[in-house]
Amino acid sequence: MADHAGESESAMESVMEKITAKLHGHDSQSSSDSEDGKKSLVEAVKSKSYRLFGREKPLHKVLGGGKPADVFLWRNKKISGSVLGCATAIWVLFEMLEYQLLPLLCHILMLCLASLFLWSNASIVIKKSPPNIPVVGVPEKAVMEITSALLFAINRGLTSLHNIASGRHLKQFLAVTAGLWVLSAVGRWCNFITLFYLLFVLLHTVPVIYEKYEDEVDSSAEKVKTGIKKQYRVLCEKVLKGQPGDVLKVRKLS
């Protein structure tokens, strides 16, 4: 009789444990569902909000994805720091020490060939295995992909310049003119190597800062865009004597 009572008590305890586990599971599931709902709501709001340059994809995908994007966004700080350090060393060699490209390449090749040549001959004398020199070659597929991407970018730029020169887009004309003026002003202050180094440094600093303060930058950019649109309407009213839509209609009719 006592055994039967003990068995019934243990059965009741197991049933209570199952009920409690189901209740906890339901609570955790409902809380997880609510968290997922909040996350989806936040993502929907972010997707509908203004993004710089009309960006619809994440910044990592905009930069091409893969290892180059990881380097620009400092996913691996050692690799990104090493790349930036090498670029800085090259800039110091060419700009500060006034080293020339051709002598530098020749000296590096001479040093490498001399080291490998001496190592290969010394390994025979000391009876050790010679160095394993890998066969280096340029992959044809990578060259074709890079060439195709450059060709597409160049043709796209030429098409944009053709459309601007045809007098179709006033905003693009003003933006390109301002950009070329800024580029020419920067070119007066520094040479091509320094300009290339500055662009390289900007690629390693601006994207990661933008990713960190993405919402704040997009909000400020939206305000700036609204102000530019207002100034554009004022320009069309004063200079072109009409609204932007009227100017486009006149151009289409002409």
Side-chain angles (χ1 to χ4, degrees), residues 86-102 104 186-187 189-201:
C86 291
T88 304
I90 293 172
W91 177 76
V92 170
L93 281 174
F94 289 127
E95 186 65 20
M96 304 298 292
L97 302 180
E98 297 182 354
Y99 223 91
Q100 300 298 323
L101 179 62
L102 186 59
L104 179 63
V186 173
W189 300 334
C190 57
N191 55 17
F192 178 75
I193 296 175
T194 302
L195 181 61
F196 183 79
Y197 173 70
L198 290 176
L199 292 175
F200 193 81
V201 172

mmCIF file of all heavy atoms in Angstrom, residues 86-102 104 186-187 189-201:
data_model
loop_
_atom_site.group_PDB
_atom_site.id
_atom_site.type_symbol
_atom_site.label_atom_id
_atom_site.label_comp_id
_atom_site.label_asym_id
_atom_site.label_seq_id
_atom_site.Cartn_x
_atom_site.Cartn_y
_atom_site.Cartn_z
ATOM 1 N N CYS A 86 51.300 48.863 -44.432
ATOM 2 C CA CYS A 86 52.084 48.686 -45.669
ATOM 3 C C CYS A 86 51.873 49.870 -46.612
ATOM 4 O O CYS A 86 52.836 50.360 -47.226
ATOM 5 C CB CYS A 86 51.680 47.386 -46.354
ATOM 6 S SG CYS A 86 52.181 45.900 -45.480
ATOM 7 N N ALA A 87 50.627 50.326 -46.736
ATOM 8 C CA ALA A 87 50.361 51.486 -47.587
ATOM 9 C C ALA A 87 51.076 52.726 -47.061
ATOM 10 O O ALA A 87 51.622 53.524 -47.839
ATOM 11 C CB ALA A 87 48.857 51.739 -47.669
ATOM 12 N N THR A 88 51.108 52.887 -45.752
ATOM 13 C CA THR A 88 51.812 54.030 -45.163
ATOM 14 C C THR A 88 53.317 53.934 -45.416
ATOM 15 O O THR A 88 53.962 54.950 -45.731
ATOM 16 C CB THR A 88 51.535 54.101 -43.652
ATOM 17 O OG1 THR A 88 50.123 54.158 -43.426
ATOM 18 C CG2 THR A 88 52.188 55.323 -43.033
ATOM 19 N N ALA A 89 53.879 52.723 -45.290
ATOM 20 C CA ALA A 89 55.310 52.542 -45.549
ATOM 21 C C ALA A 89 55.651 52.854 -47.004
ATOM 22 O O ALA A 89 56.673 53.499 -47.300
ATOM 23 C CB ALA A 89 55.714 51.109 -45.197
ATOM 24 N N ILE A 90 54.792 52.428 -47.937
ATOM 25 C CA ILE A 90 55.030 52.711 -49.351
ATOM 26 C C ILE A 90 54.947 54.208 -49.613
ATOM 27 O O ILE A 90 55.763 54.777 -50.365
ATOM 28 C CB ILE A 90 54.010 51.938 -50.217
ATOM 29 C CG1 ILE A 90 54.272 50.435 -50.115
ATOM 30 C CG2 ILE A 90 54.085 52.393 -51.671
ATOM 31 C CD1 ILE A 90 53.217 49.587 -50.772
ATOM 32 N N TRP A 91 53.985 54.874 -48.989
ATOM 33 C CA TRP A 91 53.859 56.320 -49.168
ATOM 34 C C TRP A 91 55.080 57.050 -48.615
ATOM 35 O O TRP A 91 55.561 58.014 -49.223
ATOM 36 C CB TRP A 91 52.595 56.816 -48.483
ATOM 37 C CG TRP A 91 52.436 58.308 -48.550
ATOM 38 C CD1 TRP A 91 52.037 59.036 -49.631
ATOM 39 C CD2 TRP A 91 52.705 59.249 -47.510
ATOM 40 N NE1 TRP A 91 52.029 60.369 -49.328
ATOM 41 C CE2 TRP A 91 52.428 60.539 -48.033
ATOM 42 C CE3 TRP A 91 53.138 59.131 -46.194
ATOM 43 C CZ2 TRP A 91 52.583 61.687 -47.272
ATOM 44 C CZ3 TRP A 91 53.281 60.277 -45.431
ATOM 45 C CH2 TRP A 91 53.011 61.541 -45.974
ATOM 46 N N VAL A 92 55.588 56.600 -47.481
ATOM 47 C CA VAL A 92 56.795 57.221 -46.907
ATOM 48 C C VAL A 92 57.989 57.016 -47.827
ATOM 49 O O VAL A 92 58.800 57.939 -48.033
ATOM 50 C CB VAL A 92 57.069 56.637 -45.506
ATOM 51 C CG1 VAL A 92 58.443 57.066 -45.000
ATOM 52 C CG2 VAL A 92 56.000 57.084 -44.528
ATOM 53 N N LEU A 93 58.124 55.831 -48.426
ATOM 54 C CA LEU A 93 59.243 55.564 -49.335
ATOM 55 C C LEU A 93 59.197 56.485 -50.553
ATOM 56 O O LEU A 93 60.222 57.058 -50.953
ATOM 57 C CB LEU A 93 59.218 54.100 -49.785
ATOM 58 C CG LEU A 93 59.754 53.063 -48.803
ATOM 59 C CD1 LEU A 93 59.521 51.665 -49.347
ATOM 60 C CD2 LEU A 93 61.239 53.282 -48.540
ATOM 61 N N PHE A 94 58.009 56.609 -51.141
ATOM 62 C CA PHE A 94 57.905 57.378 -52.380
ATOM 63 C C PHE A 94 57.844 58.880 -52.158
ATOM 64 O O PHE A 94 58.384 59.651 -52.949
ATOM 65 C CB PHE A 94 56.671 56.926 -53.176
ATOM 66 C CG PHE A 94 56.825 55.566 -53.780
ATOM 67 C CD1 PHE A 94 55.876 54.588 -53.562
ATOM 68 C CD2 PHE A 94 57.913 55.255 -54.566
ATOM 69 C CE1 PHE A 94 56.006 53.332 -54.117
ATOM 70 C CE2 PHE A 94 58.060 53.998 -55.134
ATOM 71 C CZ PHE A 94 57.105 53.028 -54.902
ATOM 72 N N GLU A 95 57.151 59.302 -51.088
ATOM 73 C CA GLU A 95 56.899 60.722 -50.894
ATOM 74 C C GLU A 95 57.936 61.367 -49.974
ATOM 75 O O GLU A 95 58.509 62.405 -50.304
ATOM 76 C CB GLU A 95 55.491 60.921 -50.320
ATOM 77 C CG GLU A 95 55.067 62.373 -50.216
ATOM 78 C CD GLU A 95 54.930 63.035 -51.566
ATOM 79 O OE1 GLU A 95 54.785 62.313 -52.576
ATOM 80 O OE2 GLU A 95 54.983 64.280 -51.635
ATOM 81 N N MET A 96 58.163 60.771 -48.814
ATOM 82 C CA MET A 96 59.066 61.380 -47.843
ATOM 83 C C MET A 96 60.537 61.146 -48.215
ATOM 84 O O MET A 96 61.350 62.067 -48.165
ATOM 85 C CB MET A 96 58.776 60.826 -46.443
ATOM 86 C CG MET A 96 57.326 61.000 -45.991
ATOM 87 S SD MET A 96 56.822 62.731 -45.879
ATOM 88 C CE MET A 96 57.819 63.267 -44.484
ATOM 89 N N LEU A 97 60.862 59.902 -48.569
ATOM 90 C CA LEU A 97 62.245 59.576 -48.933
ATOM 91 C C LEU A 97 62.528 59.777 -50.414
ATOM 92 O O LEU A 97 63.671 59.580 -50.847
ATOM 93 C CB LEU A 97 62.557 58.121 -48.537
ATOM 94 C CG LEU A 97 62.367 57.793 -47.045
ATOM 95 C CD1 LEU A 97 62.703 56.331 -46.785
ATOM 96 C CD2 LEU A 97 63.245 58.699 -46.181
ATOM 97 N N GLU A 98 61.512 60.137 -51.182
ATOM 98 C CA GLU A 98 61.638 60.423 -52.615
ATOM 99 C C GLU A 98 62.241 59.255 -53.390
ATOM 100 O O GLU A 98 63.094 59.412 -54.251
ATOM 101 C CB GLU A 98 62.469 61.695 -52.838
ATOM 102 C CG GLU A 98 61.813 62.937 -52.255
ATOM 103 C CD GLU A 98 62.617 64.197 -52.522
ATOM 104 O OE1 GLU A 98 63.732 64.065 -53.057
ATOM 105 O OE2 GLU A 98 62.129 65.290 -52.215
ATOM 106 N N TYR A 99 61.789 58.053 -53.033
ATOM 107 C CA TYR A 99 62.220 56.857 -53.757
ATOM 108 C C TYR A 99 61.401 56.742 -55.035
ATOM 109 O O TYR A 99 60.229 57.111 -55.065
ATOM 110 C CB TYR A 99 62.002 55.618 -52.892
ATOM 111 C CG TYR A 99 63.145 54.632 -52.911
ATOM 112 C CD1 TYR A 99 64.183 54.705 -51.995
ATOM 113 C CD2 TYR A 99 63.182 53.624 -53.864
ATOM 114 C CE1 TYR A 99 65.218 53.798 -52.019
ATOM 115 C CE2 TYR A 99 64.209 52.713 -53.904
ATOM 116 C CZ TYR A 99 65.235 52.803 -52.971
ATOM 117 O OH TYR A 99 66.260 51.906 -53.004
ATOM 118 N N GLN A 100 62.007 56.199 -56.093
ATOM 119 C CA GLN A 100 61.324 56.012 -57.364
ATOM 120 C C GLN A 100 60.829 54.573 -57.476
ATOM 121 O O GLN A 100 61.398 53.650 -56.896
ATOM 122 C CB GLN A 100 62.256 56.337 -58.530
ATOM 123 C CG GLN A 100 62.769 57.764 -58.517
ATOM 124 C CD GLN A 100 61.663 58.790 -58.634
ATOM 125 O OE1 GLN A 100 60.695 58.577 -59.357
ATOM 126 N NE2 GLN A 100 61.809 59.909 -57.937
ATOM 127 N N LEU A 101 59.742 54.384 -58.237
ATOM 128 C CA LEU A 101 59.110 53.077 -58.332
ATOM 129 C C LEU A 101 60.003 52.047 -59.005
ATOM 130 O O LEU A 101 60.174 50.928 -58.499
ATOM 131 C CB LEU A 101 57.782 53.194 -59.085
ATOM 132 C CG LEU A 101 57.013 51.884 -59.296
ATOM 133 C CD1 LEU A 101 56.631 51.267 -57.963
ATOM 134 C CD2 LEU A 101 55.769 52.134 -60.155
ATOM 135 N N LEU A 102 60.584 52.391 -60.145
ATOM 136 C CA LEU A 102 61.389 51.434 -60.891
ATOM 137 C C LEU A 102 62.622 50.987 -60.119
ATOM 138 O O LEU A 102 62.892 49.776 -60.035
ATOM 139 C CB LEU A 102 61.778 52.027 -62.250
ATOM 140 C CG LEU A 102 62.502 51.085 -63.215
ATOM 141 C CD1 LEU A 102 61.640 49.865 -63.499
ATOM 142 C CD2 LEU A 102 62.853 51.811 -64.507
ATOM 143 N N LEU A 104 62.965 50.897 -56.901
ATOM 144 C CA LEU A 104 62.491 50.099 -55.769
ATOM 145 C C LEU A 104 62.161 48.673 -56.199
ATOM 146 O O LEU A 104 62.560 47.700 -55.535
ATOM 147 C CB LEU A 104 61.258 50.764 -55.160
ATOM 148 C CG LEU A 104 60.616 50.030 -53.979
ATOM 149 C CD1 LEU A 104 61.572 49.944 -52.801
ATOM 150 C CD2 LEU A 104 59.320 50.715 -53.553
ATOM 151 N N VAL A 186 42.530 69.811 -55.027
ATOM 152 C CA VAL A 186 43.340 68.878 -54.239
ATOM 153 C C VAL A 186 44.609 68.505 -54.998
ATOM 154 O O VAL A 186 45.691 68.350 -54.411
ATOM 155 C CB VAL A 186 42.514 67.621 -53.885
ATOM 156 C CG1 VAL A 186 43.383 66.567 -53.219
ATOM 157 C CG2 VAL A 186 41.357 67.994 -52.964
ATOM 158 N N GLY A 187 44.498 68.370 -56.341
ATOM 159 C CA GLY A 187 45.670 68.037 -57.140
ATOM 160 C C GLY A 187 46.739 69.113 -57.125
ATOM 161 O O GLY A 187 47.923 68.828 -57.362
ATOM 162 N N TRP A 189 47.533 70.767 -54.410
ATOM 163 C CA TRP A 189 48.197 70.696 -53.120
ATOM 164 C C TRP A 189 49.102 69.475 -52.988
ATOM 165 O O TRP A 189 50.096 69.501 -52.267
ATOM 166 C CB TRP A 189 47.151 70.655 -52.001
ATOM 167 C CG TRP A 189 46.251 71.844 -51.979
ATOM 168 C CD1 TRP A 189 46.530 73.096 -52.444
ATOM 169 C CD2 TRP A 189 44.904 71.901 -51.489
ATOM 170 N NE1 TRP A 189 45.455 73.930 -52.281
ATOM 171 C CE2 TRP A 189 44.438 73.231 -51.683
ATOM 172 C CE3 TRP A 189 44.046 70.986 -50.891
ATOM 173 C CZ2 TRP A 189 43.163 73.630 -51.316
ATOM 174 C CZ3 TRP A 189 42.777 71.397 -50.516
ATOM 175 C CH2 TRP A 189 42.352 72.698 -50.728
ATOM 176 N N CYS A 190 48.772 68.371 -53.661
ATOM 177 C CA CYS A 190 49.553 67.138 -53.510
ATOM 178 C C CYS A 190 49.634 66.420 -54.855
ATOM 179 O O CYS A 190 48.838 66.681 -55.761
ATOM 180 C CB CYS A 190 48.928 66.221 -52.455
ATOM 181 S SG CYS A 190 47.201 65.785 -52.797
ATOM 182 N N ASN A 191 50.596 65.509 -54.971
ATOM 183 C CA ASN A 191 50.774 64.766 -56.211
ATOM 184 C C ASN A 191 49.875 63.531 -56.231
ATOM 185 O O ASN A 191 49.077 63.298 -55.321
ATOM 186 C CB ASN A 191 52.246 64.375 -56.388
ATOM 187 C CG ASN A 191 52.766 63.598 -55.185
ATOM 188 O OD1 ASN A 191 51.984 63.096 -54.384
ATOM 189 N ND2 ASN A 191 54.066 63.521 -55.049
ATOM 190 N N PHE A 192 50.039 62.712 -57.268
ATOM 191 C CA PHE A 192 49.156 61.560 -57.456
ATOM 192 C C PHE A 192 49.345 60.524 -56.356
ATOM 193 O O PHE A 192 48.360 59.914 -55.890
ATOM 194 C CB PHE A 192 49.426 60.926 -58.827
ATOM 195 C CG PHE A 192 48.590 59.710 -59.096
ATOM 196 C CD1 PHE A 192 47.247 59.827 -59.424
ATOM 197 C CD2 PHE A 192 49.151 58.446 -59.009
ATOM 198 C CE1 PHE A 192 46.478 58.704 -59.658
ATOM 199 C CE2 PHE A 192 48.385 57.317 -59.243
ATOM 200 C CZ PHE A 192 47.046 57.446 -59.575
ATOM 201 N N ILE A 193 50.569 60.286 -55.927
ATOM 202 C CA ILE A 193 50.824 59.266 -54.903
ATOM 203 C C ILE A 193 50.167 59.653 -53.584
ATOM 204 O O ILE A 193 49.521 58.833 -52.916
ATOM 205 C CB ILE A 193 52.339 59.054 -54.726
ATOM 206 C CG1 ILE A 193 52.939 58.502 -56.021
ATOM 207 C CG2 ILE A 193 52.627 58.111 -53.566
ATOM 208 C CD1 ILE A 193 54.435 58.370 -55.986
ATOM 209 N N THR A 194 50.304 60.916 -53.200
ATOM 210 C CA THR A 194 49.682 61.371 -51.959
ATOM 211 C C THR A 194 48.163 61.325 -52.060
ATOM 212 O O THR A 194 47.473 60.932 -51.103
ATOM 213 C CB THR A 194 50.137 62.807 -51.639
ATOM 214 O OG1 THR A 194 51.567 62.828 -51.546
ATOM 215 C CG2 THR A 194 49.553 63.277 -50.332
ATOM 216 N N LEU A 195 47.623 61.699 -53.216
ATOM 217 C CA LEU A 195 46.178 61.640 -53.419
ATOM 218 C C LEU A 195 45.678 60.200 -53.327
ATOM 219 O O LEU A 195 44.648 59.923 -52.689
ATOM 220 C CB LEU A 195 45.819 62.248 -54.768
ATOM 221 C CG LEU A 195 44.331 62.278 -55.132
ATOM 222 C CD1 LEU A 195 43.550 63.114 -54.134
ATOM 223 C CD2 LEU A 195 44.142 62.828 -56.541
ATOM 224 N N PHE A 196 46.398 59.277 -53.952
ATOM 225 C CA PHE A 196 46.019 57.856 -53.891
ATOM 226 C C PHE A 196 46.096 57.340 -52.458
ATOM 227 O O PHE A 196 45.225 56.578 -52.012
ATOM 228 C CB PHE A 196 46.942 57.047 -54.803
ATOM 229 C CG PHE A 196 46.593 55.594 -54.875
ATOM 230 C CD1 PHE A 196 45.551 55.154 -55.670
ATOM 231 C CD2 PHE A 196 47.308 54.652 -54.143
ATOM 232 C CE1 PHE A 196 45.219 53.811 -55.729
ATOM 233 C CE2 PHE A 196 46.990 53.310 -54.199
ATOM 234 C CZ PHE A 196 45.936 52.889 -54.998
ATOM 235 N N TYR A 197 47.123 57.760 -51.713
ATOM 236 C CA TYR A 197 47.258 57.328 -50.319
ATOM 237 C C TYR A 197 46.118 57.884 -49.461
ATOM 238 O O TYR A 197 45.578 57.183 -48.598
ATOM 239 C CB TYR A 197 48.609 57.761 -49.772
ATOM 240 C CG TYR A 197 48.778 57.502 -48.290
ATOM 241 C CD1 TYR A 197 48.898 56.208 -47.807
ATOM 242 C CD2 TYR A 197 48.809 58.555 -47.385
ATOM 243 C CE1 TYR A 197 49.044 55.966 -46.451
ATOM 244 C CE2 TYR A 197 48.947 58.317 -46.027
ATOM 245 C CZ TYR A 197 49.067 57.026 -45.570
ATOM 246 O OH TYR A 197 49.210 56.790 -44.224
ATOM 247 N N LEU A 198 45.739 59.148 -49.702
ATOM 248 C CA LEU A 198 44.634 59.734 -48.944
ATOM 249 C C LEU A 198 43.322 59.001 -49.229
ATOM 250 O O LEU A 198 42.532 58.749 -48.308
ATOM 251 C CB LEU A 198 44.495 61.217 -49.297
ATOM 252 C CG LEU A 198 45.603 62.147 -48.794
ATOM 253 C CD1 LEU A 198 45.380 63.564 -49.306
ATOM 254 C CD2 LEU A 198 45.673 62.139 -47.265
ATOM 255 N N LEU A 199 43.085 58.657 -50.488
ATOM 256 C CA LEU A 199 41.890 57.883 -50.826
ATOM 257 C C LEU A 199 41.915 56.511 -50.156
ATOM 258 O O LEU A 199 40.883 56.016 -49.678
ATOM 259 C CB LEU A 199 41.779 57.726 -52.349
ATOM 260 C CG LEU A 199 41.485 59.003 -53.136
ATOM 261 C CD1 LEU A 199 41.516 58.723 -54.631
ATOM 262 C CD2 LEU A 199 40.139 59.594 -52.746
ATOM 263 N N PHE A 200 43.102 55.896 -50.100
ATOM 264 C CA PHE A 200 43.240 54.585 -49.458
ATOM 265 C C PHE A 200 42.945 54.682 -47.962
ATOM 266 O O PHE A 200 42.273 53.820 -47.392
ATOM 267 C CB PHE A 200 44.658 54.055 -49.698
ATOM 268 C CG PHE A 200 44.827 52.603 -49.353
ATOM 269 C CD1 PHE A 200 44.433 51.620 -50.239
ATOM 270 C CD2 PHE A 200 45.391 52.223 -48.141
ATOM 271 C CE1 PHE A 200 44.577 50.279 -49.928
ATOM 272 C CE2 PHE A 200 45.544 50.894 -47.821
ATOM 273 C CZ PHE A 200 45.141 49.917 -48.718
ATOM 274 N N VAL A 201 43.436 55.746 -47.330
ATOM 275 C CA VAL A 201 43.170 55.949 -45.901
ATOM 276 C C VAL A 201 41.684 56.208 -45.661
ATOM 277 O O VAL A 201 41.092 55.709 -44.686
ATOM 278 C CB VAL A 201 44.028 57.112 -45.355
ATOM 279 C CG1 VAL A 201 43.628 57.466 -43.941
ATOM 280 C CG2 VAL A 201 45.502 56.737 -45.394
#
